Amino acid sequence: MDERKKGLLMVCMGASMWGGSGVAGQYLLQDCGFSTEWLVVSRMLLAGVILLVTDACLYRESIFQIWQDKKDALEVLLFAVFGMLAVQYTYFACIKAGNAATATVLQYLMPVFIVGYTAVRARRLPRYLELICVAMAVGGTFLLVTHGSLDKLSISPLALFWGLASAVAAAFYTMQPKRLIRKWRPTLVVGWGMLLGGLALSFLCPPWNFVGIWHPLAGLIYAYIIIFGTVVAFGCYLGSIKYIQPAEASILGSLEPLSAIVFSLLFLKASFGVMDLLGTALILATVFLLARRGKE
């Protein structure tokens, strides 16, 4: 297998594992009664420790070097609380209030918020293509949450709220740590973000206060979320950048909501109608168009 094919395979595997973790999370939250807070705090603490240990083994450098600079330290703390913790909590809260497929698709409204923030910061109007993408994303969301009817929502208002909050948090999570990742290493930055975000939530929800029904299947699914849905998926996605362009990786990353839909249909017997598919297609199309523009 040549390097390009290897990179394409890695990003596809990573995105699919992320989509699968959402479906796995839905099972734990809705069928096993896990609390959103406990699932998020335990996932972040365990994944953070694993990523930091992995970083130390791979690079043979101190994981505490990032704390020597005050600016770096402040940015890590902001990323941990308002980026990593916020995106994890809002995503799983949306799953609990709705379902994994809807939560993942709504999170992919992230580029719309990035376009808006960039336009305000640069003091310019969005470009023509960006306006088209915003209209497509809004139209897709409308179809997804109303099924084309203004009389009622097809998902609960709470699920819609958490889904939109997840998109905002994902936009912050994507843009804020750019300087840190360029200066340091993705595994180091995300590892500390996971660990500190988990520690921050521990004050409100200690990880030993478990809520839910624990059985062997729940244990296997929980292990999948930690190992494959977080650490391995993250490693595959970042590792693919070594062989393919970042823009290509971001385009193929849209396999995450598609895999979430497929897994939901296969394992959770979820219903996904024509309006849902059309709304999803419109939202994902914005990711493709904006990623292609970025590549050009």
Side-chain angles (χ1 to χ4, degrees), residues 89-234:
Y89 185 85
T90 54
Y91 176 65
F92 280 107
C94 184
I95 290 176
K96 190 173 183 66
N99 58 68
T102 301
T104 310
V105 171
L106 287 176
Q107 192 179 78
Y108 266 72
L109 287 170
M110 167 189 64
V112 175
F113 292 103
I114 292 178
V115 166
Y117 171 80
T118 303
V120 171
R121 186 174 183 180
R123 297 180 181 179
R124 64 164 178 83
L125 291 174
R127 297 184 178 91
Y128 182 67
L129 177 60
E130 293 172 340
L131 290 174
I132 293 177
C133 288
V134 170
M136 291 171 60
V138 172
T141 305
F142 172 79
L143 292 177
L144 196 65
V145 303
T146 68
H147 285 177
S149 174
L150 295 175
D151 297 333
K152 60 180 180 179
L153 295 177
S154 61
I155 63 173
S156 70
L158 187 59
L160 176 60
F161 168 78
W162 285 121
L164 294 177
S166 177
V168 174
F172 182 86
Y173 161 87
T174 301
M175 299 180 67
Q176 189 265 348
K178 184 181 297 184
R179 188 191 70 85
L180 278 177
I181 289 178
R182 286 177 176 174
K183 180 177 179 180
W184 299 95
R185 303 175 294 277
T187 48
L188 181 65
V189 175
V190 178
W192 277 115
M194 283 275 190
L195 181 59
L196 293 176
L199 289 174
L201 187 57
S202 295
F203 289 101
L204 299 176
C205 177
W208 53 84
N209 288 347
F210 172 73
V211 175
I213 302 172
W214 193 269
H215 49 75
L217 179 58
L220 289 174
I221 292 176
Y222 178 75
Y224 169 84
I225 291 176
I226 301 299
I227 299 173
F228 294 99
T230 306
V231 177
V232 177
F234 176 76

Side-chain angles (χ1 to χ4, degrees), residues 26 99 101 261 263-272:
Q26 180 179 336
N99 58 68
I261 292 170
F263 290 142
S264 295
L265 294 173
L266 290 176
F267 299 110
L268 300 178
K269 308 300 181 183
S271 60
F272 222 69

